[in-house]
Amino acid sequence: MDPEHPFFTIGVHDSKRDEPFTELQYGHLLNQSVSFVTAPITNSHFRDRIFALVKDHLNALKSNGEQPTTLFTASQPDPIIPPITPEDTQLFPSSAVNTYIGYTSPWIDLGSNDPVVASISRQILNLEINYANFCGVRTLVIAGPQKGSSNGSLASKSIALYARGIQEALNVGKHLSFIVHMPMCHEATDNPVETLSSLAAVIRQDVSQTQADVFTSWDYWHQIRTVCDYSLRLFVALKLPIVVPEKDLQTRWFAEPLMYLTIGAEVFQTNKAGYPCLSKYHQALIFTYMRLKTPPCILLCDVGPEVPKTEGNFETLLEMTSKPKDDDEFPSLSQAHAMQPKAAAPSSHLDYIKWLESEQPPFGPMETSVLTSFQDWLQSPLQPLSDNLESATYEVFECDPVKYNQYEIATMEALSEWKKLNKPTSKKGKVVIAVAGSGRGPLVTRALNAARDVKVDVEVWAVEKNPNAYVYLLRQNAKVWNGQVNVVKTDMRHWKGPVVETTADGKVVYGKVDILISELLGSFGDNELSPECLDGIQHVMAMNGISIPSSYTAHLSPISTPKLHADISNRFATDPTAFATPWVVHLFALDFVSQKVPNHPRIQEAWEFSHPISAATLESVEARRSGGVVGGGGGSMAGAAGANDHNARFCHLTFVCRTRGVTHGLAGYFEATLYESQLPENEKAKVEISIHPERIDDKSRDMTSWFPIFFPLKQPLYFPADTELEVSMWRQTDDTRVWYEWLVEAWMWVSPTSRVKIASSELCSSRQVACLM
C-alpha cells in the first residue's frame, strides 16, 4: 500500500555542542523519533590551539612589517597545522559512528580575503575530512561561505576561493558525500559565527552599501557546484529564512540536489497557546519540497530535544550490564529503577514538526510510488520502427485509462458524426476502421466498444509489424473479440489496404479505410516518427477518411535541472552520445527559467503536423523519391533526395527571463487533437490529449502514458537578469532517419533599439542517435 503522504526524516544539530552524542544519548534521541544527529569533528580545545597559532603568526608578520594581500606575497611560510590529538576530538571509531553526520568546524573561512586564514582553513578542512573518513563517517556538512555581495570583486574572489576549497575536499574525501550548508537567501538577521578572519585585518566589502538580492546565496551555490563539475557527491543543506522569499527563488532551489531543510529557532513563531509553529508560507514550502522523489530531511538547528548527561547513572548501568554476574550481584528492582537515566524534557519544536507531517496534503493519482520512482530518471526514447517492443512495455502503456478513454471518445464522435452526415463508406453498410500499430490491441478494443455504443456497423483491421505482438493479437481475436477483427502482420507503410475480394484468377482486390487510428505519438509528438508512418499508410485512406489523431503540436521551454545535468555528465564518461540524446524523463525537480509575458509564454509551440496530408504533398514525395523532379532531386539540407523534406521543421522562439539563472537544456511536450467535430453546430469542438504542464488538467488530467522529453546542453548556459533566451530547433531528415538539432542564445537589450549576444550554446545534434525510418 502506498503511504498517504510523505514521511519526514528528522535530524538534530546543536551548534554549541562540543562533542558527539554517546551511543546511549543517541539511542535516547532515536526513541523520540529523531532519525539522525550531527557530530562535530573537533572541539573547542582544537579551536583554541588553532586560533592561538594563527594569531601568533599574524603578529609575527605584522612585527616584520608584512601584510600579505595575495596568497603568495608573504616571505614567511604558513604555520604548520598540528595533528589532531585525543584532547582535540571526542569522535572515535564505533559501531554507530557511520550513522553520524559529521559537521566540520564552522569557524574556518575558506573564502577569507586574508591569504593566511584561507590557507589555514583549507588545511584544517582537509585534516578533519581525513580524520572523519578514518573514523567511519560517510557524510560531512560544511558551513557555507560567509555573507557578502555577489556584485563586488571581493565577494567574487572569496567565493572562488571557497569553491576551490570544496573541490579539493571532494578529491581528499573520495568516498564521502559533502553537504554545503547554505541560506536560502541572506537576511539582515544573519549572525555568522566568529571565524579565523576576525584575527586578521581582512579587507571587507560593505554589504550594506550593495543592493539586497535574494538570489545572491543561489549564485554562491551555483559557483560552487560549477567549479566542482556538478559532482554527484555534492549536496546542499538549505537554511529556511524567517521570511519566505518569492516563488522564483523557491522553484530555483527546488531543482537543486537538496539533502536537508534546516530550521532554526528564529524561523518558528509562537501561536496563541504559546507553542512554536511555522507560518503557512513555510508550511507550503516544506510540503512542496517533500514531494521530491528523494525528499530532503528536516534538520532542527539548536531546537532539538535535550538529552541526559552522560554521567553517573548511565555509566553505572552500563558497567553493571557489561559482564556476567552472580545472582547476588543483580540489583533489586528499586535499585535498577534508580539507575535509569532521567528523561529529558520533550521538545515542543520536534513535536510540532511531527504533527506537521500528518498535515500534508495526501498523495494524488499522479503520485503513486511507481510514478514517483520515475521522477528525473533518464530513459532512452523508443524506436518502435527499428525495435520490436516487449510485452511488459506494452503493458505499462495500457495501464493508463485516461489516454484510451480519450481515444474511445474520439472514435465515438467520429462514428456518430459519420452517421449523422450520412457519409459514404468504403464498404457497403460498414465503416472500415484500421488500427495502425496495434501493439497488444487496446485501441482495437476501444474501437469495438465505440462502435457498439453508437450502434454503427464497422469492419476493423489490426495492423502490426511486431511478430510477437501479432501472435498475441490473434489470440485476442479468438478469445476476446470473437473473430470480429482482421489481423495483419506487416509494416503499416507496406500494407495495401483491406482485402475486398479475391478473384477467380487469384488476384486480390484491396479497398480503402474510412477511419485510421494510431498511437504513434512520442513525448515530443513526432519523435517516434508518427509523421513518416502515417504518411506511409495514407494511401489506404478513403478520400473523406479520418485520421485519429488528426494533428499534434510540439512545445518547448528552457529549464534548469542540475540533477539531470549531473546524471548525464556522469554517463558521458562511458557514453559519448549522452549529451546528444533527447532523453525521455519524468521531469520534476526543475525550474522554468523564463517568465510568462505578453506574446511570450513560458512554454511555446515549436511546430505542428496534420493528417492526412494533401494530395499535392503526396505527389511531390513520390516525384522526389523517383527522381522525377528537375535536377533529379538532391535539394535536401541533408543531401538526400528530399522525399521526406515535407516532414522537416524549424522554429525560432524567444523566452523572457526576468531573473538571472542557468539553463541545462530544453523541456519538450506535445498536444494532440484526436478528433475535431465536422458538424457546423459543434465547430471547433475537439477531443484532445496533452502533456503540456499548464494544459494537461484541462485536456487529459492524470494521463501517464507519456513523460516529457529533455534536450540537454553539454555546457550549462548562465545568463543575467532581464535576458532573452532565443531557441532555434530543427527537425532534420535524410530520407532514412530523423534527428533534431538545437541551439540556445542569450541576448540582452543595451538600448531601446539594440541588443547584444552575451552567451550561446554550441549547436547540439542528435544525429548520432537518430531515429531510423
Side-chain angles (χ1 to χ4, degrees):
M1 294 291 291
D2 288 336
E4 294 182 0
H5 52 69
F7 292 118
F8 284 2
T9 302
I10 306 172
V12 171
H13 170 65
D14 186 350
S15 62
K16 298 180 177 61
R17 189 169 184 83
D18 207 25
E19 59 187 32
F21 293 104
T22 66
E23 293 188 14
L24 289 174
Q25 290 175 319
Y26 191 17
H28 176 78
L29 289 172
L30 293 177
N31 290 336
Q32 298 194 51
S33 301
V34 173
S35 300
F36 65 96
V37 296
T38 61
I41 309 302
T42 55
N43 57 24
S44 57
H45 183 274
F46 181 70
R47 176 186 182 278
D48 293 341
R49 284 209 299 152
I50 298 300
F51 265 66
L53 182 69
V54 173
K55 186 176 182 180
D56 291 343
H57 181 77
L58 293 175
N59 287 337
L61 291 178
K62 187 176 181 180
S63 63
N64 292 335
E66 298 185 29
Q67 183 57 53
T69 57
T70 71
L71 291 177
F72 307 103
T73 56
S75 59
Q76 294 190 23
D78 292 337
I80 298 174
I81 302 301
I84 296 176
T85 67
E87 290 76 23
D88 295 327
T89 183
Q90 275 70 48
L91 181 70
F92 300 101
S94 69
S95 58
V97 73
N98 63 343
T99 65
Y100 291 166
I101 307 299
Y103 206 105
T104 60
S105 296
W107 42 266
I108 62 175
D109 190 356
L110 294 173
S112 176
N113 288 307
D114 186 283
V116 174
V117 172
S119 176
I120 295 297
S121 297
R122 193 178 71 252
Q123 294 178 55
I124 293 172
L125 177 61
N126 294 341
L127 188 70
E128 292 186 334
I129 290 171
N130 277 314
Y131 182 72
N133 186 52
F134 164 78
C135 290
V137 175
R138 289 294 169 258
T139 304
L140 287 178
V141 180
I142 303 175
Q146 297 297 304
K147 181 179 177 180
S149 167
S150 64
N151 300 323
S153 60
L154 291 179
S156 177
K157 172 186 173 183
S158 175
I159 197 62
L161 288 170
Y162 183 93
R164 178 62 182 82
I166 300 298
Q167 192 270 345
E168 184 176 350
L170 286 164
N171 291 329
V172 173
K174 292 186 179 296
H175 304 292
L176 301 179
S177 295
F178 292 89
I179 305 170
V180 181
H181 198 173
M182 301 288 300
M184 191 173 199
C185 58
H186 289 301
E187 296 182 300
T189 56
D190 288 348
N191 293 314
V193 299
E194 181 185 15
T195 67
L196 289 172
S197 293
S198 62
L199 303 177
V202 177
I203 303 174
R204 295 194 177 277
Q205 183 165 319
D206 186 0
V207 179
S208 64
Q209 298 299 318
T210 63
Q211 184 178 1
D213 190 339
V214 295
F215 282 88
T216 296
S217 184
W218 177 84
D219 269 333
Y220 288 174
W221 163 249
H222 174 65
Q223 173 77 341
I224 294 166
R225 58 98 178 278
T226 301
V227 170
C228 297
D229 200 21
Y230 286 77
S231 172
L232 293 175
R233 295 187 290 121
L234 185 63
F235 303 89
V236 62
L238 195 61
K239 178 184 176 184
L240 297 190
I242 297 174
V243 178
V244 176
E246 59 188 70
K247 196 69 175 180
D248 285 345
L249 183 60
Q250 294 181 44
T251 55
R252 183 70 55 83
W253 281 114
F254 180 77
E256 301 295 345
L258 295 174
M259 183 66 76
Y260 301 142
L261 294 179
T262 70
I263 309 176
E266 70 281 356
V267 181
F268 287 92
Q269 301 176 352
T270 303
N271 62 18
K272 295 179 179 179
Y275 291 99
C277 64
L278 295 174
S279 72
K280 63 179 181 180
Y281 303 106
H282 287 93
Q283 294 178 36
L285 185 148
I286 293 173
F287 292 166
T288 299
Y289 283 25
M290 286 299 161
R291 254 45 191 189
L292 289 164
K293 177 181 179 180
T294 304
C297 304
I298 292 180
L299 184 62
L300 296 176
C301 297
D302 300 325
V303 290
E306 297 180 1
V307 294
K309 300 295 183 181
T310 57
E311 299 173 357
N313 292 346
F314 265 124
E315 282 70 16
T316 303
L317 184 63
L318 184 61
E319 181 181 352
M320 295 188 66
T321 57
S322 61
K323 59 182 180 179
K325 294 176 173 59
D326 297 333
D327 291 345
D328 295 339
E329 294 180 301
F330 275 99
S332 65
L333 291 177
S334 59
Q335 290 173 328
H337 179 74
M339 294 175 186
Q340 293 295 324
K342 184 179 179 181
S347 168
S348 53
H349 297 84
L350 177 60
D351 290 341
Y352 173 79
I353 293 298
K354 289 190 289 185
W355 171 83
L356 191 63
E357 178 185 38
S358 64
E359 294 300 300
Q360 297 176 94
F363 283 127
M366 299 292 289
E367 295 178 301
T368 64
S369 58
V370 174
L371 287 175
T372 301
S373 67
F374 281 100
Q375 283 184 14
D376 302 309
W377 185 58
L378 298 169
Q379 305 172 68
S380 298
L382 296 175
Q383 290 219 25
L385 281 182
S386 57
D387 299 333
N388 288 322
L389 304 183
E390 297 178 354
S391 180
T393 305
Y394 288 121
E395 187 174 2
V396 171
F397 297 148
E398 293 167 13
C399 290
D400 180 6
V402 176
K403 174 179 72 173
Y404 293 108
N405 288 343
Q406 292 295 95
Y407 264 94
E408 183 172 336
I409 293 171
T411 307
M412 289 175 60
E413 291 292 320
L415 289 172
S416 177
E417 292 191 2
W418 196 292
K419 185 177 180 180
K420 289 179 181 179
L421 294 171
N422 197 25
K423 295 171 65 174
T425 59
S426 297
K427 187 170 185 177
K428 186 176 181 180
K430 290 186 178 181
V431 177
V432 180
I433 297 176
V435 179
S438 301
R440 301 201 314 177
L443 285 181
V444 176
T445 301
R446 296 301 183 124
L448 292 171
N449 292 345
R452 183 190 67 241
D453 292 342
V454 297
K455 296 179 174 56
V456 173
D457 289 334
V458 296
E459 179 179 281
V460 179
W461 292 76
V463 182
E464 176 55 50
K465 75 172 185 65
N466 186 339
N468 306 306
Y470 171 71
V471 176
Y472 189 87
L473 288 172
L474 291 175
R475 182 178 182 274
Q476 287 292 93
N477 194 31
K479 299 288 186 180
V480 179
W481 302 325
N482 299 319
Q484 300 177 73
V485 180
N486 303 281
V487 182
V488 180
K489 189 189 81 64
T490 184
D491 186 316
M492 68 180 73
R493 296 169 294 179
H494 303 153
W495 187 43
K496 295 181 180 180
V499 177
V500 175
E501 63 175 326
T502 302
T503 61
D505 58 358
K507 185 178 179 181
V508 178
V509 178
Y510 298 98
K512 296 293 184 178
V513 171
D514 298 317
I515 300 178
L516 179 66
I517 306 173
S518 66
E519 53 176 332
L520 307 172
L521 299 172
S523 299
F524 204 46
D526 55 80
N527 60 295
E528 292 183 13
L529 305 193
S530 176
E532 285 73 18
C533 292
L534 294 181
D535 286 356
I537 198 176
Q538 183 171 318
H539 65 277
V540 306
M541 291 184 65
M543 287 294 293
N544 57 348
I546 295 173
S547 173
I548 299 176
S550 60
S551 65
Y552 36 91
T553 52
H555 302 257
L556 285 173
S557 183
I559 62 171
S560 173
T561 175
K563 294 179 183 178
L564 287 185
H565 181 80
D567 192 356
I568 297 173
S569 296
N570 188 56
R571 293 170 184 246
F572 183 69
T574 55
D575 179 9
T577 66
F579 279 106
T581 302
W583 297 96
V584 173
V585 55
H586 180 16
L587 294 172
F588 194 80
L590 80 158
D591 175 30
F592 290 101
V593 297
S594 65
Q595 281 72 42
K596 184 178 181 180
V597 299
N599 301 320
H600 295 291
R602 176 172 283 186
I603 303 171
Q604 300 183 29
E605 181 178 322
W607 49 64
E608 180 180 18
F609 288 91
S610 298
H611 300 284
I613 59 177
S614 67
T617 302
L618 274 181
E619 292 174 2
S620 174
V621 170
E622 290 302 320
R624 286 177 177 271
R625 185 175 290 126
S626 62
V629 296
V630 176
S636 167
M637 286 182 65
N644 195 42
D645 274 9
H646 66 288
N647 285 324
R649 293 290 188 275
F650 169 72
C651 70
H652 186 80
L653 308 173
T654 300
F655 299 87
V656 178
C657 304
R658 182 177 61 84
T659 60
R660 63 183 179 273
V662 61
T663 179
H664 300 95
L666 306 171
Y669 308 92
F670 85 91
E671 292 189 302
T673 298
L674 299 181
Y675 181 74
E676 185 172 359
S677 177
Q678 298 178 3
L679 296 176
E681 62 269 25
N682 294 336
E683 185 179 4
K684 296 185 179 180
K686 300 178 181 179
V687 181
E688 299 175 282
I689 55 176
S690 172
I691 64 169
H692 190 299
E694 297 172 352
R695 300 174 186 165
I696 185 172
D697 286 349
D698 296 329
K699 298 183 178 182
S700 49
R701 184 182 180 88
D702 297 335
M703 186 175 68
T704 60
S705 287
W706 291 275
F707 293 148
I709 197 167
F710 177 63
F711 299 93
L713 299 179
K714 189 172 183 180
Q715 293 296 330
L717 188 116
Y718 182 87
F719 53 87
D722 297 322
T723 296
E724 290 183 348
L725 291 182
E726 298 203 346
V727 175
S728 300
M729 177 167 274
W730 296 259
R731 187 183 196 262
Q732 297 277 46
T733 178
D734 62 1
D735 296 345
T736 63
R737 52 188 175 165
V738 172
W739 68 95
Y740 299 94
E741 295 174 358
W742 58 99
L743 174 71
V744 181
E745 302 168 288
W747 293 80
M748 176 175 282
W749 289 93
V750 293
S751 75
T753 59
S754 177
R755 295 189 312 165
V756 294
K757 185 162 70 173
I758 55 177
S760 175
S761 72
E762 60 184 55
L763 179 62
C764 307
S765 174
S766 65
R767 189 166 188 167
Q768 291 177 279
V769 290
C771 201
L772 302 177
M773 294 170 58

